[in-house]
């Protein structure tokens, strides 16, 4: 792929920020980027992680709910990549010193039962999923004060930091289900219908971005449909998420 050398530099800057837990200033302060540039930088960032032995195991959407768009001041759906290093087990302790300023949000996860053939006729991601589960995502913007532009957050792999998935359930319509996230004494409630009206629409949106950006989706991949509510700060407490009828998932923030 041909791209200006500065893209490699910016990908390394973001990667260092994540590895060393050191926030950085907006890329937009130094360079004008368009959406395609930002996705190219994201891909270079993922290459760096893969070179360290990480494997891409899925994709995530961001800003699929009004609450998230309003919280972060962004109004278009974004896509990032999930790697095996980001995966936590249900109930796991999560070391908060791995992050800069972590937040947690309630999500719905889907699992792909087969490859999505973007160059063949099976292009509907929703037709390729075989399971659904409650999930939490830990986001950790590498930018100072969690403030960024649209292209900043795309380049920063959409703030992806970690995630945990509850027990997979056979695929079923999700539609409008109550969602509740607690972090210690903090609580936020909402509905899965906040995700584009129905989280299945996040799968359609994912297909569009993947086709535009040349991303692949493989059998077994996990897809996070985007937060149903605004995010809460992740503190040294139990974070517990329930999606009505789908189950629960939790992680525990710890400071070793
Ligand atoms: C970007 C990530 C947004 C979601 O679920 O909407 C996201 C951010 O808020 O830092 O993951
Ligand atoms: Mg999210």
């Amino acid at each position: 792929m041909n791209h200006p050398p500065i893209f490699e530099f910016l990908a390394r800057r973001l990667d260092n920020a994540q590895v060393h837990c050191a926030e950085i200033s907006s890329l937009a302060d130094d360079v004008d980027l368009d959406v395609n540039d930002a996705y190219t930088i994201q891909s270079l960032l993922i290459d760096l992680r893969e070179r360290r032995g990480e494997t891409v195991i899925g994709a995530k959407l961001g800003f699929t709910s009004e609450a998230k768009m309003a919280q972060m001041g962004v109004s278009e759906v974004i896509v990032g990549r999930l790697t095996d290093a980001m995966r936590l087990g249900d109930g796991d302790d999560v070391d908060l010193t791995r992050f800069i300023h972590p937040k947690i949000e309630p999500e719905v996860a889907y699992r792909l039962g087969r490859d999505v053939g973007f160059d063949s006729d099976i292009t509907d991601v929703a037709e390729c999923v075989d399971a659904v589960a409650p999930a939490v995502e830990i986001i950790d913007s590498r930018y100072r004060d969690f403030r960024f532009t649209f292209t900043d957050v795309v380049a920063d792999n959409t703030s992806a930091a970690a995630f945990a998935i509850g027990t997979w359930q056979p695929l079923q319509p999700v539609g409008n289900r109550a969602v509740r996230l607690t972090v210690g004494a903090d609580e936020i409630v909402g509905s899965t219908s906040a995700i584009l009206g129905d989280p299945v629409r996040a799968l359609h949106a994912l297909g569009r971005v993947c086709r535009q950006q040349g991303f692949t989706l493989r059998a077994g991949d996990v897809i996070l449909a985007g937060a149903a509510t605004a995010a809460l700060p992740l503190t040294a407490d139990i974070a517990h998420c329930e999606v009505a009828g789908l189950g629960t998932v939790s992680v525990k923030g710890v400071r070793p």
Side-chain angles (χ1 to χ4, degrees):
M1 209 192 334
N2 257 338
H3 47 258
I6 190 165
F7 288 10
E8 307 264 357
F9 171 82
L10 296 173
R12 250 183 244 116
R13 188 154 123 195
L14 282 161
D15 190 53
N16 277 328
Q18 183 253 315
V19 169
H20 300 293
C21 281
E23 59 188 13
I24 59 171
S25 54
S26 163
L27 305 188
D29 289 352
D30 297 322
V31 54
D32 272 341
L33 300 169
D34 67 21
V35 178
N36 292 324
D37 298 338
Y39 277 107
T40 302
I41 295 167
Q42 182 192 117
S43 292
L44 293 168
L45 179 68
I46 297 300
D47 288 349
L48 292 172
R49 295 182 74 127
E50 286 181 325
R51 268 184 249 150
R52 285 200 296 273
E54 293 181 33
T55 305
V56 172
I57 56 164
K60 59 157 282 190
L61 288 110
F63 306 135
T64 49
S65 69
E66 294 285 347
K68 282 291 305 182
M69 291 186 212
Q71 185 180 31
M72 306 316 294
V74 166
S75 62
E76 216 179 299
V77 165
I78 56 176
V79 171
R81 261 71 70 79
L82 302 172
T83 78
D84 56 344
M86 300 176 191
R87 184 172 41 198
L88 300 166
D90 186 5
D92 273 3
D93 283 359
V94 51
D95 177 358
L96 298 176
T97 63
R98 280 173 55 188
F99 309 112
I100 302 169
H101 36 208
K103 295 185 196 176
I104 190 161
E105 42 190 31
E107 303 242 355
V108 170
Y110 290 95
R111 187 181 64 200
L112 286 177
R114 53 177 164 155
D115 295 355
V116 184
F118 287 114
D119 42 10
S120 73
D121 48 347
I122 322 170
T123 54
D124 186 355
V125 181
E127 274 181 28
C128 302
V129 293
D130 70 353
V132 62
V136 283
E137 185 185 22
I138 298 173
I139 52 171
D140 191 34
S141 174
R142 269 52 70 164
Y143 301 107
R144 187 161 303 131
D145 303 329
F146 234 107
R147 288 170 64 89
F148 42 69
T149 65
F150 183 79
T151 52
D152 278 339
V153 66
V154 168
D156 185 24
N157 195 27
T158 67
S159 309
F163 65 94
I165 295 184
T167 305
W168 289 111
Q169 306 294 332
L171 187 63
Q172 54 199 279
V174 177
N176 180 358
R177 296 179 191 230
V179 172
R180 179 167 176 264
L181 172 71
T182 55
V183 183
D186 262 11
E187 175 185 27
I188 195 160
V189 292
S191 159
T192 54
S193 65
I195 305 166
L196 297 175
D198 182 323
V200 76
R201 298 215 178 99
L203 300 174
H204 302 145
L206 176 64
R208 286 194 293 276
V209 175
C210 286
R211 213 167 298 119
Q212 275 159 14
Q213 299 300 331
F215 293 172
T216 52
L217 294 172
R218 300 267 168 252
D221 278 2
V222 170
I223 297 166
L224 293 181
T229 68
L232 292 178
L234 179 60
T235 46
D237 291 292
I238 292 175
H240 184 266
C241 167
E242 176 168 15
V243 181
L246 278 190
T248 64
V249 58
S250 65
V251 294
K252 184 177 174 204
V254 294
R255 289 187 190 282

